[in-house]
Amino acid sequence: MSASRAHRVFQKALQRWPKDPLRPECQLQDVLAKRLQAGHSLVPPYEASLTGAAREQAELKQANALYGLLENRYQNSYKLKHNRIMEPKSNPTYYKDLVKELEEAPNRTWLGRMANRLKGLVRLE
């Protein structure tokens, strides 16, 4: 029953994981779900020799880390006054522009992709 508990926790976390709009054919949750269904553990290799309750604890730690990423637990617990990581002095809007581009990319038409490619080739600055 202990292995099934960790399996259920992983399944719930993977159901909540957001879909990747840029690569709809290769989703993280699909890869991890296939690995779980095949009977492989998601325990790191250095803990592969564990058995019984210790292995269950290691699997639950992995599931907890997955939930931590899902809920932005680490970003919320280690807040910065001014987010210098996301706004470098050399180009303060870099990450905002990157997120905007990633949100627009899946819905862009063929003509829009070609126009962006040509704009990238010819820069008038």
Side-chain angles (χ1 to χ4, degrees):
M1 178 166 175
S2 62
S4 64
R5 178 176 175 222
H7 189 281
R8 284 194 310 268
V9 172
F10 267 114
Q11 289 293 343
K12 287 180 184 178
L14 293 176
Q15 287 173 354
R16 291 184 48 207
W17 197 264
K19 299 282 184 190
D20 183 3
L22 291 179
R23 288 181 230 96
E25 69 280 350
C26 182
Q27 299 289 327
L28 174 72
Q29 56 272 39
D30 296 340
V31 172
L32 293 179
K34 284 180 188 175
R35 187 175 169 125
L36 284 173
Q37 287 174 355
H40 298 293
S41 175
L42 295 177
V43 174
Y46 60 86
E47 293 181 339
S49 62
L50 298 176
T51 58
R55 186 174 188 86
E56 177 193 356
Q57 287 293 355
E59 289 176 348
L60 288 174
K61 281 183 183 179
Q62 292 295 316
N64 186 29
L66 193 62
Y67 267 108
L69 292 172
L70 193 61
E71 297 166 349
N72 289 332
R73 192 180 306 159
Y74 309 107
Q75 182 180 12
N76 295 335
S77 62
Y78 300 105
K79 290 189 181 226
L80 299 173
K81 292 179 184 175
H82 180 69
N83 200 349
R84 292 186 177 119
I85 294 172
M86 296 300 286
E87 295 177 4
K89 287 184 180 180
S90 61
N91 188 358
T93 63
Y94 175 77
Y95 289 106
K96 291 177 186 171
D97 296 340
L98 181 63
V99 167
K100 180 182 167 199
E101 179 69 25
L102 289 173
E103 288 172 350
E104 292 174 357
N107 302 323
R108 193 172 292 136
T109 63
W110 179 84
L111 188 59
R113 288 192 304 267
M114 291 306 291
N116 275 356
R117 186 175 292 171
L118 290 175
K119 279 192 253 180
L121 292 173
V122 180
R123 294 205 171 131
L124 300 174
E125 290 183 3

